[in-house]
Amino acid sequence: MLSRVAENIYWMARYLERAEDTARLISVNTHLLLDLPRSTTLGWSSLVDITGSGELFNEHYTRSDEASVLNFLCADRRYHGSIISSLAGARENLRTTRDVMPREIWEEVNQLYLNINVMVESGVTPRNIELLLKRVIRSCETVTGLIEGTLSYTQVRTFLMMGRLLERADMTTRIIDVRSANLLPRSPEELTPFENLQWMSVLKSLTGFQMYRQHVRLRVRGPDVLRFLLQDRRFPRAIACSLDRLAKELDTLPRHDQAIAELERCRERILNAQVFKLAAEPDLLHHFVDEIQLDIINLHDAIRQSWFAFREDPQAQPVMRQEQS
């Protein structure tokens, strides 16, 4: 398999996962703010913090209000992680690899991009945002179903799953990092009456509330949520589960030693973490998540060096490659 094709498929999957996760995050934040009192300090700027794009946002926007954040995350092509930029990247990388993918997947991704492009060009507002987000989420779920039902178990599928799982793990770490900074109390006196509601929003951002209730069988508490999202090996969006599945994909490829070593280093850090200690010390948790994100970056670099650096055509490049900082 050509390294150029493999890299384009890998990035196509990352972009699709990024678009879906961003849409879910915005949707949950919208509904959470409706449930919280107006005096709450939780607003829209935390969504920009999750993406790690605060510097770019501040460069182009003067206020962190709802309209500005929605436009930045959904429609701003200057930000490579926005929904429209992610869909454009997914579409273009898929367009160049259409000969190895089922036609139905291309048609769904292409139609999704065209529809969302029309919607964002007419303006993203609090009035139409729910329709836009639902369209993105539903189409990405449709693509997931098409992949499961129509794509053969070849290296094409392997690189696609690698991109999806790595992007998913990265987004989960970002949500844990930023949301927990607002939620973890520094002393028992700092507990807020709406803490459980906000931890529920963390789970819902990752579509994990119902699975948490099934697996944990306890009321929603910060330490239990952290343990579930970090270490649960059954929930697909938990970091440990994503890494387990990614390890299986890597194991099917040649020259996987470097990537497997980086993955095992990250997996060992997560599974050995003392979650209740992390939950009691927000600064310690922030440092821990930073280490995981560096592990994910190192894992991506190992994947790139192992399989994407052997180009037959040195002029060929995957379209719009852009990693979140």
Side-chain angles (χ1 to χ4, degrees), residues 149-316:
T150 65
L151 185 61
S152 297
Y153 288 87
T154 63
Q155 287 187 350
V156 172
R157 189 186 183 105
T158 298
F159 283 105
L160 187 152
M161 293 303 299
M162 286 164 54
R164 173 192 291 174
L165 293 167
L166 196 64
E167 184 69 28
R168 183 173 291 177
D170 178 70
M171 179 62 82
T172 300
T173 63
R174 292 174 184 275
I175 291 174
I176 290 174
D177 189 24
V178 176
R179 287 301 201 206
S180 62
N182 296 330
L183 294 172
L184 292 175
R186 296 181 181 274
S187 68
E189 293 74 22
E190 294 181 16
L191 285 169
T192 63
F194 296 95
E195 181 188 359
N196 287 353
L197 185 63
Q198 294 182 61
W199 276 115
M200 286 172 59
S201 80
V202 174
L203 290 168
K204 290 179 179 179
S205 297
L206 298 164
T207 324
F209 178 64
Q210 289 178 283
M211 293 302 99
Y212 172 90
R213 296 297 298 269
Q214 288 185 25
H215 297 329
V216 181
R217 297 185 180 278
L218 295 171
R219 67 183 180 89
V220 177
R221 300 187 309 156
D224 294 320
V225 173
L226 286 176
R227 181 171 57 184
F228 178 69
L229 295 179
L230 286 172
Q231 298 176 334
D232 192 276
R233 306 181 84 161
R234 297 169 296 175
F235 176 56
R237 293 183 182 273
I239 300 174
C241 183
S242 294
L243 293 179
D244 285 348
R245 295 177 63 195
L246 181 54
K248 293 179 180 178
E249 300 294 342
L250 292 174
D251 197 49
T252 65
L253 296 173
R255 301 193 306 270
H256 63 221
D257 292 349
Q258 182 183 358
I260 288 289
E262 295 293 347
L263 185 145
E264 290 298 341
R265 186 176 295 111
C266 182
R267 182 159 57 179
E268 182 178 359
R269 190 192 307 278
I270 290 169
L271 295 178
N272 292 336
Q274 300 179 19
V275 175
F276 281 85
K277 183 178 180 181
L278 294 174
E281 301 181 42
D283 291 339
L284 185 62
L285 176 62
H286 177 71
H287 177 70
F288 174 77
V289 173
D290 280 349
E291 290 180 329
I292 296 176
Q293 290 178 333
L294 287 175
D295 288 342
I296 291 175
I297 291 172
N298 291 336
L299 176 53
H300 163 73
D301 288 340
I303 290 172
R304 177 179 56 80
Q305 293 169 13
S306 298
W307 294 291
F308 305 152
F310 300 92
R311 292 187 178 279
E312 289 79 0
D313 179 3
Q315 300 301 317

Side-chain angles (χ1 to χ4, degrees), residues 22-31 44 47 66-67 69-75 83 116 119-120 122-137:
T22 302
R24 290 183 183 278
L25 189 61
I26 297 170
S27 178
V28 169
N29 198 73
T30 302
H31 290 96
W44 288 95
L47 296 189
E66 180 179 9
V69 173
L70 287 180
N71 187 74
F72 179 71
L73 294 179
C74 295
I83 289 176
I116 298 303
M119 296 177 74
V120 300
S122 64
V124 177
T125 67
R127 184 181 298 273
N128 67 11
I129 186 63
E130 186 171 1
L131 179 62
L132 184 150
L133 298 177
K134 284 183 177 180
R135 179 71 175 88
V136 172
I137 295 169

